[in-house]
């Protein structure tokens, strides 16, 4: 395992922070000052500023749910000085990894974990994600058919961020949808999807010249937002941890 990956897995440091510490000569492998690109092997002892970094038990991890508001970036830092999720979370969660993203203008359920393995398994899973949407326009038969059957776009730039270089995108069929209200040129609906692609819902509806005004995620697989207040967080409940353990066991089979 690469040294920066080892540190990211077993300490509060991100890979970028680990690279900086290695570059500054703050990391030792056994009694040797480490270099960028070094690997960690069995029985190696790793120290950061003289502190021994013990390898974590892979079966020990924590997961929290955070109610992300609009106007926060899901990132460690923002070069434009915008507020990030870690500004709202206690400092003890600064090393937690977000499970996927919610864009700047979206809100709702965001899971974070101190286990890169858990984060990767959840991010790339087909667990259902439930969202409430407000769109400008109405859901016509073409949109309904595409939600039920899936959609492939050769040009999926509409609805994406201007700096993102994604060109084409394929959307799996939605797990379901419910039109809640149609009035005044707007539609409110509830949808379920099984992917977490970049700005997936915004790109999907933009393909039909329909602008997504509001997105709120209320469920991710076994975890629900419930009545958790905006900018508040909680650990998974016992029943949610049980479902997570079953999910991870199934994924490893």
């Amino acid at each position: 395992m690469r040294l920066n990956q080892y540190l990211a897995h077993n300490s509060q440091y991100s890979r970028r922070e680990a690279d900086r510490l290695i570059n500054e000569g703050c990391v030792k492998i056994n009694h040797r000052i480490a270099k960028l690109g070094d690997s960690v092997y069995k029985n190696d002892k790793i120290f950061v500023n003289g502190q021994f970094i013990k390898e974590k038990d892979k079966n020990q991890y924590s997961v929290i749910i955070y109610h992300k508001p609009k106007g926060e970036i899901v990132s460690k830092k923002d070069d434009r000085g915008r507020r990030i999720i870690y500004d709202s979370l206690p400092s003890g969660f600064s090393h937690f990894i977000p499970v996927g993203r919610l864009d700047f203008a979206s809100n709702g359920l965001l899971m974070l974990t101190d286990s890169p393995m858990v984060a990767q398994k959840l991010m790339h899973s087909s667990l259902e994600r439930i969202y409430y949407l407000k769109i400008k326009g109405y859901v016509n038969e073409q949109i309904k058919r595409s939600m039920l059957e899936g959609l492939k776009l050769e040009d999926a730039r509409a609805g994406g961020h201007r700096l993102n270089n994604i060109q084409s995108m394929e959307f799996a069929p939605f797990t379901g949808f419910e039109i809640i209200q149609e009035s005044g040129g707007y539609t409110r609906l509830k949808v379920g999807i099984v992917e977490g692609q970049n700005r997936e819902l915004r790109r999907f509806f933009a393909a039909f010249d329909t602008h997504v005004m509001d997105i709120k995620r209320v469920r991710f697989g076994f975890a629900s937002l419930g009545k958790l207040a905006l900018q508040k967080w909680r650990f998974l409940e016992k029943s949610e941890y049980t479902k997570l353990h079953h999910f991870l066991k199934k994924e490893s089979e």
Side-chain angles (χ1 to χ4, degrees):
M1 178 185 291
R2 285 294 183 96
L3 177 57
N4 61 353
Q5 184 180 6
Y6 180 92
L7 290 174
H9 281 212
N10 299 291
S11 73
Q12 75 271 28
Y13 304 111
S14 67
R15 288 197 191 190
R16 184 175 296 178
E17 291 168 337
D19 283 340
R20 177 181 58 79
L21 288 165
I22 295 167
N23 220 16
E24 292 174 355
C26 300
V27 182
K28 285 187 177 182
I29 300 177
N30 300 318
H31 300 291
R32 173 179 64 83
I33 295 176
K35 297 179 294 185
L36 286 173
D38 277 349
S39 294
V40 178
Y41 299 98
K42 188 178 180 180
N43 297 325
D44 278 343
K45 290 182 170 56
I46 310 302
F47 301 86
V48 175
N49 292 320
Q51 182 180 359
F52 175 57
I53 305 299
K54 184 179 179 181
E55 186 172 6
K56 286 183 180 177
D57 184 338
K58 293 180 180 179
N59 295 316
Q60 291 183 351
Y61 49 81
S62 296
V63 181
I64 65 169
I65 292 173
Y66 174 56
H67 189 165
K68 176 197 164 318
K70 296 178 183 179
E72 284 189 355
I73 300 291
V74 183
S75 178
K76 286 285 187 179
K77 62 180 181 179
D78 181 62
D79 55 11
R80 292 165 58 184
R82 293 172 294 181
R83 187 175 181 85
I84 61 174
I85 58 171
Y86 298 99
D87 292 330
S88 298
L89 290 167
S91 60
F93 296 128
S94 62
H95 64 294
F96 273 47
I97 306 160
V99 177
R101 294 286 187 269
L102 282 173
D103 65 42
F104 183 76
S106 300
N107 69 298
L109 183 153
L110 180 69
M111 276 196 288
L112 297 98
T113 176
D114 59 352
S115 167
M117 178 274 293
V118 172
Q120 286 294 318
K121 294 284 189 183
L122 289 171
M123 270 190 278
H124 298 293
S125 73
S126 58
L127 291 172
E128 185 181 49
R129 288 86 155 155
I130 301 294
Y131 297 82
Y132 283 103
L133 308 178
K134 178 184 178 182
I135 64 172
K136 187 176 183 180
Y138 298 111
V139 179
N140 59 33
E141 291 303 316
Q142 186 183 13
I143 297 176
K144 291 178 182 178
R145 185 168 60 253
S146 296
M147 285 195 286
L148 293 173
E149 298 177 358
L151 178 67
K152 185 174 182 179
L153 294 176
E154 295 303 326
D155 186 352
R157 288 175 294 178
H161 193 280
R162 60 183 177 82
L163 298 179
N164 192 283
N165 59 6
I166 290 175
Q167 296 289 324
S168 61
M169 188 175 283
E170 190 166 351
F171 305 85
F174 286 31
T175 56
F177 69 90
E178 176 189 352
I179 296 174
I180 299 169
Q181 183 182 37
E182 292 180 317
S183 65
Y186 296 93
T187 302
R188 293 184 181 275
L189 66 159
K190 180 181 179 181
V191 303
I193 60 176
V194 292
E195 301 174 309
Q197 299 187 81
N198 180 274
R199 294 189 172 219
E200 180 171 354
L201 292 170
R202 296 189 189 277
R203 294 177 193 269
F204 177 91
F205 285 97
F208 304 98
D209 296 319
T210 305
H211 180 61
V212 176
M213 307 292 292
D214 191 48
I215 297 179
K216 181 178 183 178
R217 183 161 62 201
V218 296
R219 186 158 67 83
F220 190 121
F222 49 81
S224 296
L225 186 63
K227 296 182 180 180
L228 186 65
L230 205 63
Q231 286 187 300
K232 298 298 182 181
W233 65 274
R234 68 172 177 84
F235 284 105
L236 290 190
E237 297 173 354
K238 185 177 180 180
S239 61
E240 292 170 326
Y241 269 122
T242 298
K243 291 174 183 176
L244 173 58
H245 295 157
H246 288 162
F247 161 77
L248 293 172
K249 183 179 179 180
K250 185 177 179 180
E251 288 291 300
S252 63
E253 289 176 350

